[in-house]
Coordinates of all heavy atoms in Angstrom, one line a residue:
T2 N 117.2 97.2 75.1 CA 118.3 98.0 75.7 C 117.8 99.4 76.1 O 116.7 99.9 75.7 CB 119.4 98.2 74.6 OG1 118.8 99.1 73.5 CG2 119.9 96.9 74.0
R17 N 102.4 112.9 72.9 CA 101.6 113.5 74.0 C 101.7 115.0 74.1 O 100.7 115.7 74.3 CB 102.0 112.9 75.3 CG 101.5 111.4 75.5 CD 102.1 110.9 76.8 NE 101.6 109.5 77.0 CZ 102.2 108.6 77.8 NH1 103.3 108.9 78.3 NH2 101.6 107.4 78.0
G37 N 117.0 121.1 78.6 CA 117.2 119.8 79.2 C 118.5 119.1 78.8 O 119.4 119.8 78.3
C38 N 118.6 117.8 79.0 CA 119.9 117.2 78.7 C 120.0 116.9 77.2 O 119.1 116.7 76.5 CB 119.9 115.8 79.5 SG 120.1 116.0 81.2
T42 N 121.6 111.5 76.9 CA 122.0 111.6 78.3 C 120.7 111.9 79.1 O 119.7 112.4 78.6 CB 123.0 112.8 78.5 OG1 122.3 114.1 78.1 CG2 124.2 112.6 77.6
V103 N 109.0 119.7 108.3 CA 109.4 118.7 109.3 C 110.1 119.4 110.4 O 110.7 120.5 110.3 CB 110.2 117.6 108.6 CG1 109.4 117.0 107.5 CG2 111.5 118.2 108.1
F125 N 109.2 91.9 102.5 CA 108.4 92.3 101.3 C 109.2 93.0 100.2 O 110.2 93.7 100.5 CB 107.2 93.1 101.7 CG 107.5 94.4 102.5 CD1 107.9 95.5 101.8 CD2 107.5 94.4 103.9 CE1 108.2 96.7 102.4 CE2 107.9 95.6 104.5 CZ 108.2 96.7 103.8
P136 N 114.8 116.7 104.4 CA 116.0 117.5 104.5 C 117.3 116.7 104.5 O 118.3 117.1 103.9 CB 115.8 118.3 105.8 CG 114.4 118.3 106.0 CD 113.8 117.0 105.5
N142 N 114.4 121.9 102.3 CA 113.0 121.6 102.8 C 112.0 121.7 101.6 O 110.8 121.9 101.9 CB 112.6 122.5 103.9 CG 113.3 122.2 105.2 OD1 113.1 121.2 105.8 ND2 114.3 123.1 105.6
T152 N 113.7 95.1 98.1 CA 113.4 93.7 97.8 C 113.4 92.8 99.0 O 113.2 91.6 98.9 CB 114.3 93.1 96.8 OG1 115.7 93.1 97.3 CG2 114.3 93.8 95.4
K157 N 118.3 94.9 104.0 CA 119.6 95.1 103.4 C 119.6 95.8 102.0 O 120.6 96.3 101.5 CB 120.3 93.8 103.3 CG 120.6 93.1 104.6 CD 121.4 91.8 104.4 CE 121.7 91.2 105.7 NZ 122.5 89.9 105.5
E193 N 98.6 119.9 91.8 CA 98.5 118.5 91.9 C 99.7 117.8 91.3 O 100.2 118.3 90.3 CB 97.2 117.9 91.3 CG 96.0 118.4 92.1 CD 94.7 117.7 91.5 OE1 94.6 117.6 90.2 OE2 93.9 117.3 92.3
F208 N 104.8 110.6 85.2 CA 104.7 111.8 85.9 C 103.8 112.8 85.1 O 104.1 113.0 83.9 CB 106.1 112.4 86.1 CG 106.2 113.8 86.5 CD1 106.0 114.2 87.8 CD2 106.5 114.9 85.6 CE1 106.0 115.5 88.3 CE2 106.7 116.2 86.0 CZ 106.4 116.5 87.4
G228 N 103.2 91.1 88.9 CA 102.3 92.1 89.5 C 102.3 92.1 91.0 O 102.9 91.2 91.6
Q287 N 90.7 99.0 102.4 CA 91.0 99.0 103.8 C 91.5 100.4 104.2 O 92.3 101.0 103.4 CB 92.0 98.0 104.2 CG 91.6 96.5 103.9 CD 92.7 95.5 104.2 OE1 93.4 95.7 105.3 NE2 92.9 94.6 103.4
Q290 N 94.9 104.6 109.8 CA 95.3 105.8 110.4 C 96.0 105.4 111.7 O 95.6 104.5 112.4 CB 94.1 106.7 110.6 CG 92.9 106.2 111.3 CD 91.8 107.2 111.3 OE1 91.8 108.3 110.7 NE2 90.7 106.8 112.0
H303 N 81.8 109.4 91.4 CA 81.3 109.0 90.1 C 81.0 110.3 89.3 O 80.0 110.4 88.7 CB 80.1 108.2 90.2 CG 80.3 106.9 90.9 ND1 81.0 105.8 90.3 CD2 79.9 106.4 92.1 CE1 81.0 104.8 91.1 NE2 80.4 105.1 92.3
D308 N 85.8 111.3 91.4 CA 85.8 109.8 91.4 C 86.2 109.2 92.7 O 85.8 109.8 93.7 CB 86.6 109.3 90.2 CG 85.9 109.5 88.9 OD1 84.7 109.6 88.9 OD2 86.6 109.6 87.8
F313 N 93.7 112.8 103.9 CA 94.6 112.3 104.8 C 95.5 113.4 105.4 O 95.7 114.4 104.7 CB 95.5 111.2 104.2 CG 96.4 111.7 103.1 CD1 97.7 112.1 103.3 CD2 96.0 111.7 101.8 CE1 98.5 112.5 102.3 CE2 96.8 112.2 100.8 CZ 98.1 112.6 101.0
A316 N 98.6 117.1 112.1 CA 99.6 118.1 112.5 C 100.9 117.5 113.0 O 101.9 118.2 113.1 CB 99.0 118.9 113.6

Side-chain angles (χ1 to χ4, degrees):
T2 66
R17 286 173 174 157
C38 289
T42 65
V103 301
F125 58 83
N142 288 290
T152 59
K157 294 182 179 180
E193 293 184 319
F208 168 77
Q287 300 178 42
Q290 52 185 9
H303 297 288
D308 285 336
F313 65 93

